[in-house]
Amino acid sequence: MSDSDDDIVARIFGVDPHLVSFSLYVWNKQRIIGLAQKIRQHDSDIVLIVGGPEATACYQELCDMALFDHVIAGEGEGVFSALINAIAGQRSFDLPPMVENPIDMALHVSPWLSDVLVPRHGVLWETSRGCPFQCAFCYDARGSRGVREIPFERLEQELQLFVAHGVSQVWVLDSTFNYPPERGKRLLKLIAQHAPHLHFHLEAKAEFLDEETVHLLQQICCSVQVGLQSARPDVLKNVNRSVDLERFADWVQMLSDAGITFGIDLIYALPGDDAAGLRESLNYALQFCPNHVEVFPLALLPGTELFHQRNRYGLEALAQPPYTVTSSDSMSEDQLEQCRKLAAATDIFYNTGRSMAYFLPLCHACCLDAVEVIERFADWLIDEVNCDDQQISEINCTPIQAYSFQQAFITDLFKRQKVDNLLPLALDLIRFHTLWADTLLGAETLPRTDWQGKDDAWLHRPWRLAESVHVEMFHYDVDELSMAQDIDLVEFIELYPPCASTGLFIRRGEEVFCESIDEIFAALLIQSCGKQTPAQILAPFAAGLTPEYSVELVTFAVGEGLLVSSTDS
């Protein structure tokens, strides 16, 4: 909700409502309560209803507030409908303190197909409900074991609706999309059949991955998040989880080898864990070169098993959302601060900086573990932006800022580690992969549709470089950089001497093209800023250029969409 509370309240009363209902979650609880209070102040007779996961977990707290007329705990679709009908008919309705009977998903009405919700750019998609696991920190299972599946006939119709409405991203709400494994495979086949071009965000459990599932993931546009939480089996045992680190490595490596975009989740401050545990877990996770690593503090959610066992582990936490742990028997406040700093530095350098392709080679070049590099970056960043350990987690960093931080930090680190002979290559790698990512995520460079061959007049008109096109100089041959996989910096400079080059980056469709271009073409592109004509730019190279070749260069650049009219917005 980007609007202010007052704007939202004004919009609500703009339709002259008789009642207002809210879905309550951890992330919106405080704001929803604030909105409800404003609505109540505006109209003391309006009916206020609240439901959702947080209403279920905090049922008594919400009842004691005497703010809401009705608090619905449990799966509320059926009882909510009955309550609304009773209110509309001015009948009394005995609302149970907890809806005990789980909904039959075969009879559940789709909010998408019934036009209750209209698909937009991104949608939240429920394909099943429940969770078969009993993780002590999680509320997804809601006290029951098992998964209730939504019929595939309905899912097929919803997918077709999403495509028809031009949806581009779908967040699948299943706690574990690949459980049971055969159902997960069937879901992927359905997506591949009807919506392979939509981007799907999936939550997976590593132990249910296999070659067939990974192959099916390759057939669709997706990213997969895998929950590791900790690399310490004894810590996971305290929260009803387990891990076989060798097998986990095999499962995740399958995703990496298949080129699947994937991330790994870690949680710090789990019972029995300490700051050293997070270092160990982060080091373990980074060895797989995931696209991102999400490092979360433990939230002691009301209603969870861990919440009820908090005294057993000495867990202290915030009383209100986000309910994060503030200390425990195994982790002091100082250790938590270390973890927060490590998590923030990981997010800036690795996630925002999109460094997965070159992070480990940089670590190896410095003879440091991955977590040691992150720790040194955290200390460097605190000095650089003049903040303390606590403030580092408050830094809002853009990819451009992260790129700048990476260059400056790596320059400092390589000099301190006395490997500055590798620095030009290290900076090339950062620059190359940053441009590659920017190009992939940026606009497509399209050729002109009115191109009809060579045009002499184009030589005497000012042009500018298209915003979707990136041209950058490198210390090493850009073609060699583009082919380097799992690069060892020492071996690279032994095989390839420095060779200044210029790279041209564009995107066509879903594919990024990087080409090495010569000095003349590079000058034409870089200096085209809407003020000079190509004839003026190419004049210094006249001795080596024929008029025909000059026209050919400009015609190619304009025809391919690399140069656009200086008057185009």
Side-chain angles (χ1 to χ4, degrees):
M1 292 183 286
S2 58
D3 294 339
S4 70
D5 287 2
D6 289 338
D7 289 339
I8 293 172
V9 171
R11 288 170 57 191
I12 289 173
F13 282 103
V15 297
D16 191 25
H18 177 65
L19 65 83
V20 180
S21 62
F22 304 93
S23 290
L24 206 63
Y25 299 87
V26 170
W27 56 268
N28 72 356
K29 178 182 177 182
Q30 295 305 101
R31 189 168 190 193
I32 291 298
I33 290 174
L35 283 170
Q37 289 169 337
K38 285 179 178 288
I39 292 170
R40 179 66 76 208
Q41 290 168 3
H42 191 282
D43 183 348
S44 60
D45 294 326
I46 197 166
V47 178
L48 298 181
I49 305 172
V50 67
E54 192 71 359
T56 304
C58 303
Y59 174 78
Q60 194 57 52
E61 173 193 342
L62 293 168
C63 290
D64 292 343
M65 290 177 64
L67 174 63
F68 299 96
D69 296 281
H70 304 283
V71 179
I72 300 177
E75 294 185 356
E77 289 101 329
V79 71
F80 178 74
S81 177
L83 174 61
I84 295 299
N85 289 331
I87 292 173
Q90 297 183 330
R91 302 188 307 272
S92 61
F93 184 84
D94 293 327
L95 191 65
M98 172 67 76
V99 180
E100 300 289 352
N101 297 323
I103 292 171
D104 184 347
M105 300 309 291
L107 304 176
H108 183 259
V109 177
S110 167
W112 302 110
L113 301 179
S114 59
D115 295 328
V116 172
L117 297 176
V118 178
R120 304 294 185 189
H121 169 70
V123 302
L124 306 178
W125 192 36
E126 186 180 40
T127 74
S128 66
R129 186 173 294 184
C131 181
F133 311 107
Q134 298 291 315
C135 301
F137 55 79
C138 183
Y139 197 62
D140 279 0
R142 293 173 177 82
S144 62
R145 186 182 292 271
V147 174
R148 283 165 288 139
E149 302 175 1
I150 292 176
F152 272 83
E153 294 76 14
R154 167 180 151 181
L155 298 180
E156 182 176 12
Q157 293 176 45
E158 290 176 339
L159 277 177
Q160 292 169 344
L161 181 70
F162 298 160
V163 172
H165 278 74
V167 168
S168 60
Q169 297 200 64
V170 179
W171 281 265
V172 178
L173 297 178
D174 301 36
S175 300
T176 306
F177 96 89
N178 59 332
Y179 183 88
E182 291 309 312
R183 184 180 186 278
K185 294 172 187 178
R186 187 180 174 192
L187 179 64
L188 294 178
K189 291 175 183 177
L190 188 71
I191 292 172
Q193 179 182 354
H194 294 284
H197 60 289
L198 272 61
H199 189 99
F200 288 81
H201 301 265
L202 303 161
E203 299 276 346
K205 205 163 178 62
E207 48 262 53
F208 299 119
L209 293 172
D210 56 24
E211 291 184 1
E212 183 182 1
T213 301
V214 172
H215 176 72
L216 290 170
L217 288 168
Q218 288 179 300
Q219 312 307 309
I220 67 173
C221 183
C222 69
S223 54
V224 180
Q225 201 68 17
V226 180
L228 171 62
Q229 318 314 353
S230 173
R232 287 182 164 181
D234 57 322
V235 169
L236 291 178
K237 186 177 180 180
N238 292 334
V239 290
N240 302 333
R241 290 179 67 98
S242 62
V243 65
D244 182 322
L245 294 178
E246 290 186 7
R247 296 193 67 191
F248 184 93
D250 292 338
W251 293 320
V252 173
Q253 195 61 49
M254 281 196 298
L255 293 174
S256 181
D257 292 342
I260 306 297
T261 297
F262 75 100
I264 296 177
D265 288 341
L266 297 175
I267 298 177
Y268 63 88
L270 290 169
D273 208 1
D274 53 21
L278 177 60
R279 293 182 80 259
E280 182 182 325
S281 298
L282 184 58
N283 217 38
Y284 176 79
L286 288 171
Q287 71 174 303
F288 304 112
C289 299
N291 294 81
H292 53 274
V293 179
E294 301 293 346
V295 185
F296 303 101
L298 174 63
L300 196 60
L301 301 177
T304 61
E305 179 182 330
L306 203 55
F307 180 84
H308 297 300
Q309 293 182 337
R310 58 191 182 278
N311 292 334
R312 176 182 176 185
Y313 300 105
L315 292 168
E316 299 288 340
L318 300 176
Q320 295 297 332
Y323 301 121
T324 47
V325 167
T326 56
S327 68
S328 72
D329 286 346
S330 62
M331 187 170 281
S332 65
E333 291 183 14
D334 287 342
Q335 288 198 49
L336 273 170
E337 203 59 62
Q338 294 175 39
C339 293
R340 276 192 287 270
K341 184 171 76 168
L342 195 58
T346 301
D347 190 52
I348 293 172
F349 192 98
Y350 194 87
N351 296 337
T352 305
R354 302 179 300 216
S355 64
M356 55 84 64
Y358 53 86
F359 180 71
L360 288 184
L362 296 183
C363 298
H364 297 156
C366 293
C367 300
L368 295 172
D369 286 340
V371 72
E372 290 178 304
V373 172
I374 294 293
E375 287 175 326
R376 294 196 185 199
F377 173 69
D379 292 334
W380 176 90
L381 188 60
I382 288 170
D383 291 338
E384 181 71 16
V385 301
N386 193 27
C387 68
D388 58 30
D389 288 8
Q390 219 168 16
Q391 292 170 322
I392 188 174
S393 59
E394 299 171 6
I395 297 175
N396 290 320
C397 191
T398 66
I400 293 175
Q401 291 171 318
Y403 170 62
S404 177
F405 286 150
Q406 287 174 342
Q407 287 189 309
F409 166 68
I410 290 300
T411 298
D412 180 74
L413 179 65
F414 273 49
K415 289 179 179 179
R416 289 177 182 271
Q417 294 297 107
K418 302 187 185 307
V419 289
D420 40 328
N421 63 311
L422 302 176
L423 186 56
L425 176 56
L427 296 179
D428 269 7
L429 285 174
I430 296 173
R431 189 180 303 113
F432 177 87
H433 288 288
T434 297
L435 286 169
W436 188 281
D438 288 345
T439 305
L440 179 63
L441 298 173
E444 185 178 4
T445 302
L446 297 172
R448 286 179 67 127
T449 56
D450 60 349
W451 184 82
Q452 295 178 348
K454 296 179 182 179
D455 192 329
D456 294 4
W458 287 356
L459 194 61
H460 304 286
R461 290 176 50 188
W463 302 92
R464 62 177 177 82
L465 188 67
E467 293 181 2
S468 60
V469 176
H470 299 281
V471 181
E472 190 73 30
M473 297 184 66
F474 295 87
H475 300 95
Y476 286 84
D477 190 318
V478 70
D479 292 330
E480 300 294 348
L481 291 172
S482 68
M483 293 186 292
Q485 299 292 329
D486 299 323
I487 184 173
D488 181 284
L489 273 62
V490 174
E491 290 182 5
F492 187 95
I493 65 171
E494 290 176 352
L495 291 172
Y496 307 106
C499 178
S501 66
T502 303
L504 167 67
F505 296 76
I506 65 169
R507 179 171 70 83
R508 290 279 166 83
E510 298 301 317
E511 188 172 358
V512 173
F513 293 91
C514 173
E515 301 289 341
S516 179
I517 57 177
D518 63 27
E519 178 188 11
I520 298 173
F521 195 42
L524 172 64
L525 297 180
I526 294 172
Q527 295 180 42
S528 290
C529 57
K531 296 179 179 179
Q532 298 185 84
T533 67
Q536 293 170 320
I537 295 171
L538 296 175
F541 305 99
L545 284 175
T546 64
E548 292 78 16
Y549 186 59
S550 296
V551 171
E552 200 171 290
L553 279 180
V554 178
T555 301
F556 175 79
V558 175
E560 289 298 313
L562 310 180
L563 296 180
V564 297
S565 173
S566 60
T567 60
D568 290 348
S569 58

